[in-house]
């Protein structure tokens, strides 16, 4: 799209601003500001809307926005006074006031498109098609779009999206299908399905994945030769958090020269990792010509409390997605449908009958008319037709199935056990029956669009190919599956699982979730346990912790159904050791179930003298308590672990944790001692990411301890070493951690600009890599910096948001400090009552866990806030602060408290008691 105004043109196709045909260089953010204002020129745009839509999830200050607007005005010839293009509406925002002409480079854009002919029998969805077309038009300009199509079973979701894809068949399209699972399926399954189909249809897509997303390519081994697959695996290692990052890069590369449509069907059955990927694709700030369409059933989402609705609601609130709801068809639309299907019949009364009996459900309507046509009932009196209508669509489908031969019924029932899509050979092996006969029968159904459609071919683990088919609607699967008696259904799942196991021998991991589901329903516990573990390991490898936790939890349930034995206890112990961390990664450090799993694991490990597992579980339990802010419990457990195991790796882990615990308790001398022991243990270990990350964090903790005991230069040296180590290993978590720990050191020293630089750099990594606790730390530090800029409202918003994030994930470790930062910023803004409340909340948290390193400052800040109304209480608070600072042996805090005491003794209030200088 080109926006022309005066002698200027904004060209979103090539991201250029031109004046009289000459390109005027502007920064990308300046260009995006101009485009957003021009595209929304019919209204005033607030600062908040500009920040949200131009910078998305990135944190920027209002100063940055003001600077970019100033540059935008300068680029188009405006000044502060002469606002001929961008006008400021004081107190409201900005509006693009120049007259704009939109065109596509050749002609002025009149309607955006000429609609393609609609498919035969397609009625009542023109408005919804138009909305999808409009979303595609936006996506084609580089503004990524997500659209959710919501409708109940039979509402025509698939028909709508297929009509949409047909009218844009010239574009790249990737289509993935979610599959119903009790529990959880394979992480990213519909996305892998979509990318796999795209790669088979477009060979260039494989090269893109090979270049920028190898972690995705190794999940689809059928796309590359075995020798290359081995090289890719050695290159990528464990995919981990890389997968989401690589997906974003792959989408940008795939859409550099063409618009891509990604269709993900039946998201009410999707895994959680897929929803996270959709969320990422919607929120990434970089341009990408991609339209993601997801379909779901609202009733199923509500019944299962599936998070797809929450994701759609949040994105919609942020104006990052659209929701297209499909209503049932009206009588006039049924008349139009009947005119297309039955041109020689009377339509008006028949349409009324159809609507009365089907409520306008498109699938019910289509099936009922098909039934009438097949049996030659069209033309019969309406009273006769009315008596022939079943009470529900399910009953109609039952009648259609009952009309089939016994062999056809058994084949379709068996196929429903496999799933909505199925390989014909697996159906044949499950029945059992001849492969060619099953394939011939499936082809016959698909040829006339009855029950089934062709779904291409599939290469199995042994290299052979088989034809795939899919049911034309989920309701056929549901009705067929429920017809099967329970005993036969159990037997069919066992046979299907064994057939899949044979077909994928040696590569069972690739179908682990599917195999686990069959053997769970077949009540084959041993095989179900094996494949649930494989599925959980696969999920962990993709950093899909929700799916891993669900698979591990299901494994524990099955293990507990086995007869009691030592072997059963050992199996349970091994799974619980993996389950607890997966729960924490999903639900946060405060989760009760994670704690119960740790307790049960520790109990089993002690009972059977399993020292390796006991050491692992104690370490996890200590970390959990440290993040919860229960430093004394964390210390006790870490010391117990040290007594158990003194291997180099365990030493560095335990001493890093104890450095953190001692620092937070204000026991700085002990924190330094444990840090030195961690460094000594690290000297005996090879340089790798886990060990170096621990050393980075240890340097960060001990830098604070050094600062508080008055060793400023040593504190700064530890920060520099942490940053050097993080850069050396190239690990993003280590970099973000080092930067933000250095930011807190600058906060303690009240060095605002240095703090801002470090916090901005650390926050950028934390947001992109989705490290929630570090994101919260970054927001709090940047909010504190904003309070010095006089941006008080924004400062408080950012700090409160950071505190909410930390509390949401159960990371209360530094919340008293965060509340003190909030109180400081509120005081600076003039809200002394709010500051007192924040400090009271901080004190309540500290008293719950007995000690906290920032306690002298909490008392000192409280004294200044209550001095006007109760000077005696204020003086007592300062004396308490001094006693704690002296007990901590902290010159920094002692100097601050004594300065405040001197001011009180002189009867004067410090100009800014919150802005004390660092100890020199």
């Amino acid at each position: 799209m080109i926006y022309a105004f005066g002698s200027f043109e904004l060209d979103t196709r090539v991201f250029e601003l031109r004046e009289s045909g000459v390109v005027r260089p502007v920064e990308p953010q300046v260009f995006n500001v101009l485009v957003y204002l021009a595209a929304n020129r019919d209204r005033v745009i607030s600062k908040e809307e500009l920040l949200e839509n131009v910078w998305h999830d990135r944190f920027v200050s209002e100063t940055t926005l003001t600077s970019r607007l100033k540059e935008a005005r300068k680029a188009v010839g405006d000044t502060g006074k002469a606002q001929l293009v961008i006008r400021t509406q004081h107190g409201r925002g900005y509006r693009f006031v120049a007259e704009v002409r939109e065109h596509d480079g050749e002609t002025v854009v009149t309607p955006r498109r000429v609609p393609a002919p609609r498919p035969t029998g397609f009625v009542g969805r023109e408005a919804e098609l138009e909305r999808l077309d409009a979303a595609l038009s936006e996506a084609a300009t580089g503004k990524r779009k997500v659209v959710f199509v919501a409708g109940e079973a039979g509402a025509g979701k698939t028909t709508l999206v297929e009509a949409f894809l047909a009218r844009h068949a010239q574009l790249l399209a990737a289509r993935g299908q979610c599959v119903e699972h009790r529990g959880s399926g394979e992480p990213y399954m519909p996305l892998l399905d979509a990318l796999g189909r795209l790669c088979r249809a477009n060979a260039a897509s494989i090269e893109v994945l090979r270049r920028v997303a190898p972690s995705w390519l190794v999940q689809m081994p059928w796309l590359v030769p075995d020798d290359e697959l081995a090289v890719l695996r050695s290159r990528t290692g464990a995919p981990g958090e890389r997968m989401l990052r690589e997906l974003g890069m792959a989408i940008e590369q795939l859409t550099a020269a063409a618009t891509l449509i990604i269709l993900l069907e039946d998201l009410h059955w999707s895994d959680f990792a897929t929803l996270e990927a959709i969320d990422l694709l919607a929120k990434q700030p970089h341009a990408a010509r991609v339209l993601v369409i997801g379909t779901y059933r609202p009733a199923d989402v509500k019944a299962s409390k599936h998070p797809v609705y929450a994701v759609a609601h949040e994105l919609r609130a942020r104006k990052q997605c659209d929701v297209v709801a499909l209503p049932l068809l009206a009588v006039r639309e049924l008349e139009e449908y009947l005119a297309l299907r039955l041109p020689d019949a009377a339509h008006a009364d028949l349409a009324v009958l159809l609507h009365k009996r089907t409520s306008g459900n498109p699938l019910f309507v289509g099936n009922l008319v098909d039934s009438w046509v097949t049996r030659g009932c069209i033309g019969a009196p309406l009273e006769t037709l009315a008596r022939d209508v079943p009470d529900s669509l399910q009953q109609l489908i039952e009648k259609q199935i009952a009309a089939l031969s016994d062999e056809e019924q058994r084949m379709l029932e068996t196929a429903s056990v496999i799933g909505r899509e199925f390989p014909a050979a697996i159906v044949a092996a499950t029945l059992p029956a001849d492969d060619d006969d099953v394939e011939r029968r499936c082809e016959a159904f698909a040829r006339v669009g009855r029950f089934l459609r062709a779904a291409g071919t599939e290469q199995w683990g042994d290299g052979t190919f088989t034809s795939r088919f899919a049911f034309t609607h989920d309701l056929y699967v549901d009705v067929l599956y429920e017809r099967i008696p329970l005993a036969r259904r159990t037997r069919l799942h066992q046979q299907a699982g064994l057939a899949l196991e044979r077909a994928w021998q040696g590569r069972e991991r690739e179908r682990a979730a599917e195999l686990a589901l069959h053997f769970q329903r077949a009540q084959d516990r041993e095989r179900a346990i094996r494949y649930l573990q494989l599925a959980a390991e696969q999920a962990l490898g993709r950093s899909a912790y929700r799916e891993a936790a669900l698979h591990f939890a299901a494994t524990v349930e099955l293990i507990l159904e086995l007869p009691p034995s030592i072997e059963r206890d050992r199996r349970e112990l091994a799974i619980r050791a993996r389950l607890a961390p997966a729960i924490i990664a999903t639900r946060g450090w405060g989760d009760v179930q994670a704690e119960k799993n740790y307790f049960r694991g520790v109990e089993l490990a002690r009972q059977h003298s399993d020292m390796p597992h006991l050491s692992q579980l104690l370490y996890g339990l200590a970390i959990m308590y440290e993040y919860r802010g229960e430093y004394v419990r964390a210390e006790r457990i870490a010391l117990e672990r040290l007594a158990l195991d003194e291997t180099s790796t365990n030493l560095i882990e335990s001493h890093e944790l104890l450095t953190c615990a001692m620092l937070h308790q204000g026991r700085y001398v002990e924190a330094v001692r444990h840090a030195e022991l961690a460094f000594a243990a690290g000297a005996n270990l090879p340089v790798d990411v886990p060990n170096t990350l621990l050393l980075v964090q240890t340097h960060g903790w001990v830098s604070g301890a050094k600062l508080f005991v008055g060793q400023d230069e040593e504190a700064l040296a530890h920060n520099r070493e942490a940053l050097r180590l993080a850069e050396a290993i190239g690990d993003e978590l280590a970099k973000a951690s080092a930067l933000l720990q250095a930011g807190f050191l600058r906060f303690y020293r009240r060095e605002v600009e240095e703090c801002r630089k470090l916090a901005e750099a650390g926050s950028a990594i934390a947001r992109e890599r989705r490290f929630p606790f570090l994101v919260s730390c970054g927001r709090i530090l940047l909010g504190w910096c904003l309070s010095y800029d006089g941006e008080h409202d924004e400062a408080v918003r950012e700090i409160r948001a950071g505190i909410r994030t930390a509390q949401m994930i159960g990371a209360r470790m530094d919340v008293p400090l965060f509340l003190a930062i909030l109180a400081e910023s509120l005081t600076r803004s003039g809200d002394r009552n709010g500051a007192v409340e924040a400090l009271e909340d901080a004190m309540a948290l500290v008293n719950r866990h007995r000690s906290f390193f920032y306690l002298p400052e909490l008392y000192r800040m409280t004294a200044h806030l209550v001095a006007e109304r109760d000077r005696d209480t204020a003086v007592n608070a300062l004396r308490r602060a001094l006693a704690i600072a002296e007990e901590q042996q902290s010159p920094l805090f002692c100097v601050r408290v004594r300065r405040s005491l001197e001011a009180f003794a002189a009867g004067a209030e410090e100009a800014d008691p919150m802005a004390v200088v660092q100890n020199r």
Side-chain angles (χ1 to χ4, degrees):
M1 179 65 68
I2 297 176
Y3 299 97
F5 51 98
S7 59
F8 292 90
E9 286 185 329
L10 279 169
D11 192 337
T12 61
R13 302 169 307 170
V14 292
F15 303 99
E16 286 182 353
L17 171 65
R18 295 186 292 269
E19 182 181 13
S20 301
V22 178
V23 175
R24 297 200 60 172
V26 290
E27 291 185 3
Q29 289 174 357
V30 175
F31 181 87
N32 292 342
V33 167
L34 286 168
V35 169
Y36 193 81
L37 290 172
N40 295 277
R41 57 192 178 276
D42 58 328
R43 58 193 177 88
V44 175
I45 305 300
S46 67
K47 292 178 181 179
E48 291 75 17
E49 183 176 348
L50 263 181
L51 286 169
E52 180 178 341
N53 287 279
V54 175
W55 281 270
H56 301 282
D57 275 346
R58 289 182 54 201
F59 173 82
V60 294
S61 68
E62 195 170 306
T63 304
T64 302
L65 172 60
T66 304
S67 171
R68 298 298 182 270
L69 278 163
K70 184 177 179 181
E71 292 171 35
R73 282 196 166 109
K74 183 178 178 181
V76 297
D78 261 2
T79 66
K81 293 182 179 179
Q83 298 181 359
L84 302 178
V85 179
I86 302 172
R87 182 173 298 163
T88 300
Q89 303 270 357
H90 292 289
R92 296 176 181 268
Y94 309 91
R95 184 172 178 185
F96 200 100
V97 294
E99 184 176 344
V100 175
R101 304 175 308 283
E102 291 184 17
H103 62 92
D104 58 7
E106 297 178 2
T107 58
V108 173
V109 177
T110 44
R112 293 186 177 184
R113 66 205 145 267
V114 176
R118 63 187 176 188
T120 302
F122 184 83
V123 298
R125 298 292 184 235
E126 287 80 1
E128 288 79 9
L129 262 182
E130 286 295 311
R131 290 183 65 184
L132 291 178
D133 283 344
L136 180 62
S137 295
E138 283 193 71
T141 69
K143 182 180 179 181
R144 51 183 75 217
K145 291 291 294 183
V146 173
V147 178
F148 292 99
V149 177
E152 302 305 344
K157 300 181 295 295
T158 299
T159 302
L160 173 67
V161 295
E162 284 181 346
F164 173 72
L165 291 177
R167 74 195 297 178
H168 300 291
Q170 77 281 7
L171 299 179
L172 283 177
R175 183 171 184 167
Q177 175 72 51
C178 299
V179 177
E180 182 180 16
H181 284 272
R182 306 304 197 263
S184 179
E186 180 184 344
Y188 303 117
M189 184 174 68
L191 274 168
L192 288 166
D193 184 18
L195 288 174
R197 296 185 194 206
L198 177 65
C199 288
R200 284 191 287 268
N202 181 268
S205 301
I206 299 179
E207 183 54 39
V208 170
L209 297 184
R210 184 181 284 118
R211 187 170 62 254
V212 301
S215 295
W216 285 82
L217 196 53
V218 298
Q219 308 300 322
M220 299 178 283
W222 53 88
L223 292 176
V224 291
D226 289 344
D227 54 346
E228 183 186 350
L229 185 62
V231 173
L232 284 171
R233 281 178 174 153
S234 65
R235 205 178 111 201
T236 59
E241 301 288 353
R242 299 173 49 158
M243 290 194 69
L244 282 173
R245 184 168 74 254
E246 288 185 2
L247 176 65
M249 292 189 292
I251 294 301
E252 289 175 34
Q253 293 278 323
L254 288 167
T255 62
T259 302
L260 171 65
I261 302 170
I262 301 176
L263 170 61
L264 304 174
E265 295 190 82
D266 296 327
L267 287 175
H268 49 274
W269 290 329
S270 77
D271 57 280
F272 299 102
T274 293
L275 297 180
E276 189 176 2
I278 294 172
D279 188 64
L280 172 80
L281 291 176
K283 291 179 178 177
Q284 281 188 323
H286 317 297
R289 289 184 282 185
V290 61
L291 169 61
V292 180
I293 302 174
T295 69
Y296 69 86
R297 299 182 199 165
D300 287 42
V301 168
K302 185 176 180 180
S304 65
K305 298 182 180 178
H306 195 281
V308 64
Y309 176 77
V311 171
H313 181 74
E314 182 199 347
L315 290 176
R316 192 178 190 184
R318 299 170 66 93
K319 301 179 181 177
Q320 291 174 318
C321 87
D322 296 326
V323 177
V324 176
L326 297 187
L328 297 174
L329 298 176
V331 173
R332 60 177 178 77
E333 292 163 337
L334 294 183
E335 284 190 56
E336 186 179 350
Y337 171 77
L338 290 170
L340 292 170
R341 287 290 311 272
L342 310 169
D344 297 328
H347 306 132
D349 292 340
L350 191 55
V352 172
L353 171 63
L354 274 173
H355 192 270
K356 181 178 179 181
R357 301 307 296 270
T358 68
S359 299
N361 180 291
L363 184 64
F364 199 170
V365 169
N367 274 265
L368 185 55
V369 173
D370 285 342
S371 173
W372 285 339
V373 170
T374 301
R375 292 181 291 116
C377 297
I378 299 300
L382 286 178
E383 295 79 7
T384 302
L385 290 176
R387 289 194 297 270
D388 192 50
V389 178
D391 292 333
S392 69
L393 177 56
Q394 285 80 355
Q395 288 184 8
L396 177 59
I397 294 172
E398 284 273 12
K399 289 181 65 175
Q400 292 172 330
I401 294 169
L404 302 174
S405 68
D406 291 345
E407 292 80 6
E408 289 171 331
Q409 289 183 42
R410 280 197 298 272
M411 185 197 74
L412 290 176
E413 287 170 353
T414 303
S416 75
V417 169
I418 312 299
R420 180 172 179 177
E421 285 197 22
F422 56 88
I426 291 293
V427 175
T430 304
L431 273 168
D434 179 71
D435 286 15
D436 291 339
D437 182 57
V438 169
E439 191 164 327
R440 178 181 56 78
R441 290 179 184 275
C442 289
E443 285 176 349
F445 281 123
R447 199 176 301 119
V448 296
R450 193 179 181 202
F451 296 110
L452 302 178
R453 60 176 174 82
T457 58
E458 176 183 355
Q459 186 177 10
W460 282 11
D462 60 6
T464 60
F465 286 85
T466 180
S467 296
R468 286 184 67 85
F469 296 89
F471 285 96
T472 54
H473 200 277
D474 297 324
L475 284 175
Y476 295 134
V477 183
D478 296 343
V479 173
L480 285 159
Y481 189 79
E482 292 302 322
R483 284 169 51 93
I484 308 171
L486 181 59
R488 180 167 171 253
R489 193 188 304 169
T490 302
R491 187 171 65 253
L492 286 173
H493 275 296
Q494 180 75 5
Q495 292 169 205
L498 292 173
L500 270 174
E501 197 176 50
R502 288 191 299 271
W504 289 87
Q505 189 173 11
R507 293 173 61 177
E508 297 95 336
R509 178 183 292 271
E510 296 170 26
R511 307 299 286 264
E514 188 177 355
L515 285 162
L517 179 67
H518 283 303
F519 289 123
Q520 278 179 282
R521 294 181 180 178
Q523 300 177 24
D524 184 338
R525 290 192 188 91
E526 286 298 336
R527 281 191 170 90
I529 289 169
R530 177 192 171 197
Y531 289 116
L532 280 169
Q533 287 184 256
L534 278 177
E537 295 295 339
Q538 180 192 60
L540 286 178
R542 297 177 184 174
S543 294
Y545 299 110
R546 287 178 182 269
E547 285 74 15
L550 288 168
H551 288 315
F552 279 136
T555 307
V556 168
E557 288 180 11
L558 289 177
I559 288 172
L560 293 177
E561 291 176 5
L562 299 173
S565 67
I566 294 175
E567 177 59 26
R568 189 191 79 168
D569 286 353
R570 287 176 174 161
R571 294 172 78 175
E572 180 189 351
L573 170 59
I575 299 302
R576 292 210 185 263
R578 310 298 302 280
L579 173 57
I583 291 174
I584 287 172
T586 300
R587 303 179 200 161
W589 303 99
D591 188 78
V592 174
Q593 289 303 315
E595 187 173 28
K596 287 181 178 178
N597 270 282
Y598 272 129
F599 284 161
R600 175 59 178 162
V602 168
E603 177 189 3
L604 288 169
R606 285 181 173 145
Q607 181 180 331
H608 296 288
S609 301
D610 188 331
M611 294 302 107
H613 272 126
L614 180 58
S615 177
Q616 176 189 350
L617 288 159
L618 287 174
Y619 181 54
L621 197 56
I623 291 174
M624 184 183 72
Y625 285 133
E626 184 67 24
Y627 270 94
R628 287 183 178 184
E630 299 180 40
Y631 319 111
V632 176
R633 295 182 78 175
E635 175 193 353
R636 176 178 56 77
I637 295 169
L639 288 171
E640 180 184 353
R641 187 192 189 227
L642 268 177
L644 283 178
D645 194 341
E646 293 189 356
T647 59
S648 294
T649 298
N650 288 352
L651 282 173
I652 189 174
E653 289 174 346
S654 297
H655 285 302
E656 181 272 334
L657 185 58
L658 284 163
T659 304
C660 177
M662 298 304 180
L663 168 70
H664 279 91
Q665 293 178 70
R667 293 156 62 183
Y668 306 125
V669 174
E670 292 172 83
V672 171
R673 180 172 64 84
H674 282 293
E676 290 170 349
L677 291 169
F679 298 144
N684 301 321
L685 293 174
V687 177
D688 61 15
V689 171
N691 292 332
T692 307
L693 176 58
L694 288 168
L695 290 174
V696 166
Q697 291 171 330
T698 305
H699 279 292
W701 303 133
V702 79
S703 69
K706 291 281 188 179
L707 181 76
F708 299 141
V709 298
Q711 299 174 10
D712 293 47
E713 291 307 316
E714 289 187 40
L716 293 169
H718 279 291
N719 269 166
R720 288 193 292 270
E721 180 62 10
L723 289 165
R724 186 194 68 79
L725 287 172
E727 287 291 343
I729 60 172
D731 181 71
E732 298 298 279
L733 176 58
K735 288 180 189 176
S737 179
L739 287 163
L740 290 165
Q741 283 180 320
F744 276 107
L745 192 75
R746 301 296 181 166
F747 157 74
Y748 300 134
R749 290 167 58 89
R750 296 305 193 270
E751 295 171 349
V752 179
E753 289 309 314
E754 284 298 317
C755 177
R756 192 196 313 274
K757 290 175 186 176
L758 291 162
E760 284 179 344
S763 291
I765 298 172
R767 286 181 183 279
E768 184 179 353
R769 302 295 185 264
R770 297 192 169 199
F771 303 142
F773 180 64
L774 296 182
V775 167
S776 71
C777 292
R779 296 190 81 164
I780 288 162
L781 285 175
L782 288 169
W784 176 76
C785 294
L786 283 170
S787 76
Y788 270 91
D789 298 339
E791 302 288 345
H792 299 303
D793 290 345
E794 190 172 356
V796 170
R797 274 199 305 271
E798 285 301 304
I799 295 169
R800 289 192 189 279
I803 293 172
R804 280 197 303 272
T805 299
Q807 291 175 323
M808 182 179 65
I809 62 174
R812 296 187 292 271
M813 177 170 63
D814 284 311
V815 169
L817 170 64
F818 298 164
L819 287 166
I821 295 172
L822 174 63
E824 181 179 332
S825 300
L826 287 167
T827 302
R828 196 166 287 121
S829 73
D831 184 0
R832 297 175 74 88
N833 290 334
V836 170
E837 288 179 8
L839 289 174
E840 287 174 349
D841 290 343
M843 287 289 195
L845 285 172
V846 171
N847 291 336
R848 189 181 305 167
H849 302 300
R850 291 196 287 179
S851 60
F852 189 64
F853 74 102
Y854 213 63
L855 197 52
E857 277 293 271
L858 295 180
Y859 277 112
R860 192 185 71 83
M861 294 167 68
T862 300
H864 283 282
L865 288 167
V866 303
E868 285 185 8
R869 65 174 184 265
D870 192 343
R871 197 164 186 83
D872 289 342
T873 298
V875 171
N876 288 334
L878 286 174
R879 288 171 179 164
R880 178 68 177 139
L882 184 59
I884 296 170
E886 289 173 342
E887 183 183 346
Q888 292 179 352
Q889 303 176 51
S890 171
L892 176 66
F893 290 143
C894 284
V895 166
R896 292 185 179 181
V897 177
R898 286 182 181 131
R899 178 174 174 176
S900 293
L901 278 167
E902 290 167 4
F904 272 52
E909 176 75 9
E910 294 173 76
D912 185 357
M914 307 303 172
V916 292
V917 296
Q918 69 271 23
N919 182 41
R920 295 296 186 186

